[in-house]
Amino acid sequence: MTPAELASVVLTAAHAVFTDRGLDHAALPEHTVVERPRNPEHGDYASTLALQLSKKVGVPPRELATALADELGRAPGIKSVEIAGPGFLNIRLDAAAAGQLARLIVEAGAEYGRSDRLAGEKINLEFVSANPTGPVHIGGVRWAAVGDALSRLLRATGAEVGTEYYFNDAGSQIDRFARSLLAAAKGEPAPEDGYGGAYIAEIAAEVQARRPDVLTLDDAAAQEVFRVEGVALMFDEIRSSLRDFGVEFDTYFNEKDLHDRGELDLALARLREQGRVYESEGATWLRTTDFGDDKDRVLRKSNGEWTYFAADCAYYLDKRERGFERVVIMLGADHHGYIGRMKAMAACFGDDPERNLEILIGQLVNLLRDGAPMRMSKRAGTVITLEDLVEAIGVDASRYALARYSSDSPIDIDIELWTRATRDNPVYYVQYVAARTAGVARNAAEVGLVPGDADAFRPELLDHEKENELLKALAEFPAVVATAAELREPHRVARYLEESVAASYHRFYDNCRVLPLGDEEVTDRHRARLWLNNATRTVIANGLHLLGVSAPERM
């Protein structure tokens, strides 16, 4: 029995009690939840439904809890119900009802953990969006791991998601990038405000290979060649790096297209219609202070040039016009000041900034070697890049390490820890369970132990304390996925896999032998435990998939 199924049983019992006592059924909720008590000795699950309903129907909570307990006690699969405190219900399942979960999980396979909790939501999720002026640095890599995991979680809970990389190929940073490439091609030092690092010389050489005549052009024409060709090469490299990291975007959106298609003018016109635009000192302003911003924002300068903020407005409107009801943007720690102005901008369009726009801020990441932060990339020269991280600890460990912590917390990634083949390495600890469960299944087949037909499965034989503990851990998975998606917190999945599933499986493995010893006859208990072993493999694999991490069959 899953927590959702048990919650339905509790509601059914409540309906029966209300009918028997002539209470108003309108007070009953459509849904309720059951939770695992903090102390396992208090039962398998707990419900506060009696406390929630008591005031609505004018019945003392303990009296209502007593009636619910009596009704629940007659329900199939319920072993006992105890009343605690002012009206808590502590529920114990019988072994057969609890053990049925193993079969449900194995039969559901990759679908176990999925739900329709966010069905009907159409979400645009933008992350990474690093400027194409250099390799993806470690801060952007954090968003690659977290953003991709979040997109998987949102889809697993029924949302329609479009992932997007905003390709900033316009503006002064691109000009500085082009000047840096031109200087490298000429063998000159990088401009004072330019970009350094070996990658600049590499790209400059590639541009020259494509356009051998580039240095015969005047500087303005040569710089334009380096801008167009260099940005294309840099972005190809970024896409390739992210693809190797397991991250693909549905849409790569060019900022330049906003300008070329006149979308900034369209956004300005829309904001004028809302009465939020005014002219002052020759410039065009948006009255964002109407919605809590610390100052109004310039859209168009007095010289006629558009501001970055104007492009932000046009890009937001473009997303909304494409039908996305919620725009989620992931930004680095240095962008915290953007939240107020972006929320105000959404309100200026007539949107609800709390409903239509969501901004997530990610904190800094340090890569540690020998306990000290690494400061310089061998190639980029100034920052640690995606390639540096992957070279140091691998893709799986990188993705797991970056997604394992709340995004609003700075993290240190210790190279020695994350490459260690020991249980104190979190990704190794979880992947080891994936490999061990697969190994148990292989070894079982070799001795003629197979799960057998589902109808012959004897769930009541999963009556050991550690089997029950593992079953309860596996039962939590759908709720963990739904909560992680709703709160935008993929780290909840990682911590659940480590602290609940992996830890419970190790205790089960140590106390409940799955394989028969020597010439011991294969029994229904062995088969039941194999079902539970395989169910664990399913949950570990599904959870790791949501994080973009592999579930190896061997290690």
Side-chain angles (χ1 to χ4, degrees):
M1 186 182 297
T2 67
E5 289 171 335
L6 177 57
S8 179
V9 171
V10 172
L11 269 183
T12 299
H15 275 275
V17 168
F18 272 45
T19 299
D20 184 57
R21 291 180 164 236
L23 300 175
D24 184 5
H25 282 70
L28 287 167
E30 290 186 15
H31 306 283
T32 190
V33 295
V34 292
E35 300 174 338
R36 288 181 63 181
R38 291 183 181 178
N39 186 346
E41 294 181 2
H42 293 165
D44 296 324
Y45 294 98
S47 171
T48 59
L49 188 61
L51 295 169
Q52 297 167 23
L53 297 175
S54 172
K55 196 170 185 180
K56 293 181 180 178
V57 296
V59 177
R62 196 167 176 91
E63 179 183 333
L64 189 56
T66 300
L68 281 170
D70 290 343
E71 187 66 33
L72 272 172
R74 293 190 286 272
I78 305 296
K79 181 179 179 181
S80 66
V81 183
E82 298 171 357
I83 302 166
F88 295 102
L89 295 173
N90 290 332
I91 305 166
R92 297 180 192 276
L93 303 181
D94 63 37
Q100 286 286 2
L101 181 68
R103 180 172 65 183
L104 182 151
I105 293 172
V106 172
E107 291 179 340
E111 292 299 306
Y112 183 67
R114 303 181 71 86
S115 71
D116 59 358
R117 184 77 71 90
L118 299 181
E121 289 206 28
K122 189 172 183 182
I123 300 171
N124 181 280
L125 179 61
E126 180 200 340
F127 56 101
V128 183
S129 295
N131 290 330
T133 55
V136 179
H137 62 77
I138 198 165
V141 183
R142 183 176 197 176
W143 275 139
V146 174
D148 188 61
L150 180 54
S151 72
R152 293 167 185 243
L153 282 164
L154 293 170
R155 287 171 175 142
T157 46
E160 183 181 344
V161 182
T163 57
E164 196 144 318
Y165 187 117
Y166 185 52
F167 178 28
N168 184 339
D169 56 350
S172 59
Q173 290 183 331
I174 300 300
D175 291 338
R176 288 161 49 202
F177 177 63
R179 292 201 307 274
S180 302
L181 294 176
L182 177 58
K186 289 181 172 182
E188 299 173 354
E192 187 174 334
D193 61 348
Y195 295 92
Y199 78 95
I200 290 291
E202 292 170 10
I203 292 174
E206 286 190 59
V207 173
Q208 287 178 277
R210 289 185 178 192
R211 289 287 305 272
D213 65 328
V214 64
L215 293 184
T216 66
L217 306 175
D218 63 64
D219 279 359
Q223 183 175 316
E224 179 62 14
V225 171
F226 278 107
R227 187 192 72 79
V228 173
E229 297 286 349
V231 165
L233 286 165
M234 190 72 254
F235 193 60
D236 284 347
E237 181 177 321
I238 290 171
R239 289 183 65 165
S240 177
S241 296
L242 289 170
R243 189 180 304 115
D244 291 343
F245 197 59
V247 179
E248 285 274 13
F249 289 87
D250 298 319
T251 301
Y252 293 89
F253 193 102
N254 286 30
E255 180 189 354
K256 189 170 181 294
D257 290 343
L258 292 171
H259 295 266
D260 293 346
R261 296 196 299 248
E263 292 195 39
L264 279 79
D265 290 295
L266 178 64
L268 177 59
R270 188 71 59 86
L271 291 165
R272 284 191 192 279
E273 290 172 8
Q274 296 290 327
R276 303 297 176 187
V277 174
Y278 66 95
E279 309 294 327
S280 177
E281 301 175 351
T284 302
W285 298 71
L286 184 63
R287 207 183 305 274
T288 52
T289 51
D290 288 352
F291 298 101
D293 196 7
D294 59 341
K295 62 182 180 181
D296 291 341
R297 303 290 169 176
V298 177
L299 295 172
R300 203 166 205 166
K301 302 175 186 177
S302 56
N303 63 4
E305 291 181 1
W306 294 104
T307 62
Y308 284 121
F309 185 66
D312 290 337
C313 294
Y315 187 35
Y316 172 78
L317 180 61
D318 182 275
K319 291 176 178 178
R320 295 285 286 119
E321 293 287 290
R322 282 185 272 148
F324 291 106
E325 298 160 3
R326 186 182 292 269
V327 173
V328 181
I329 308 172
M330 295 180 161
L331 298 173
D334 57 340
H335 287 73
H336 203 279
Y338 278 42
I339 296 177
R341 75 188 72 168
M342 292 294 286
K343 291 280 189 179
M345 173 267 289
C348 286
F349 275 115
D351 281 349
D352 176 355
E354 298 309 310
R355 163 66 188 160
N356 300 117
L357 178 62
E358 191 174 335
I359 298 177
L360 308 178
I361 298 293
Q363 295 300 321
L364 300 176
V365 182
N366 288 313
L367 187 60
L368 306 182
R369 188 186 295 277
D370 299 325
M374 292 175 60
R375 299 294 184 192
M376 303 286 282
S377 166
K378 288 180 289 186
R379 183 163 175 266
T382 54
V383 294
I384 302 300
T385 68
L386 187 159
E387 286 78 8
D388 295 322
L389 180 61
V390 170
E391 181 182 341
I393 65 175
V395 171
D396 276 352
S398 297
R399 290 193 59 138
Y400 194 96
L402 292 165
R404 182 179 183 260
Y405 301 91
S406 174
S407 300
D408 57 10
S409 300
I411 57 175
D412 293 328
I413 298 178
D414 188 317
I415 292 174
E416 283 72 26
L417 170 65
W418 288 93
T419 53
R420 204 176 291 157
T422 59
R423 289 174 64 159
D424 58 346
N425 175 352
V427 71
Y428 180 88
Y429 182 60
V430 175
Q431 287 185 316
Y432 184 75
V433 173
R436 172 169 272 184
T437 52
V440 167
R442 282 194 306 273
N443 294 336
E446 289 176 4
V447 299
L449 171 58
V450 294
D453 190 285
D455 293 335
F457 171 51
R458 300 281 303 280
E460 70 275 11
L461 297 177
L462 296 174
D463 55 2
H464 191 282
E465 174 190 358
K466 299 307 177 185
E467 293 166 342
N468 184 259
E469 178 188 331
L470 179 54
L471 284 163
K472 286 191 286 187
L474 301 181
E476 293 177 356
F477 184 53
V480 169
V481 173
T483 301
E486 289 176 335
L487 298 180
R488 318 303 194 228
E489 294 181 343
H491 71 274
R492 289 176 175 269
V493 175
R495 294 308 176 103
Y496 160 76
L497 293 177
E498 291 170 44
E499 298 165 8
S500 194
V501 181
S504 296
Y505 180 79
H506 283 303
R507 289 190 286 270
F508 157 75
Y509 185 88
D510 291 340
N511 289 275
C512 304
R513 186 167 182 83
V514 178
L515 304 179
L517 278 172
D519 295 331
E520 182 183 357
E521 182 182 351
V522 171
T523 67
D524 286 341
R525 188 177 297 277
H526 292 123
R527 294 188 188 94
R529 287 175 172 172
L530 183 57
W531 277 90
L532 182 52
N533 175 83
N534 295 351
T536 305
R537 165 78 191 178
T538 297
V539 171
I540 288 283
N542 290 357
L544 287 174
H545 174 74
L546 290 172
L547 300 176
V549 177
S550 69
E553 295 195 356
R554 289 180 170 83
M555 288 183 71

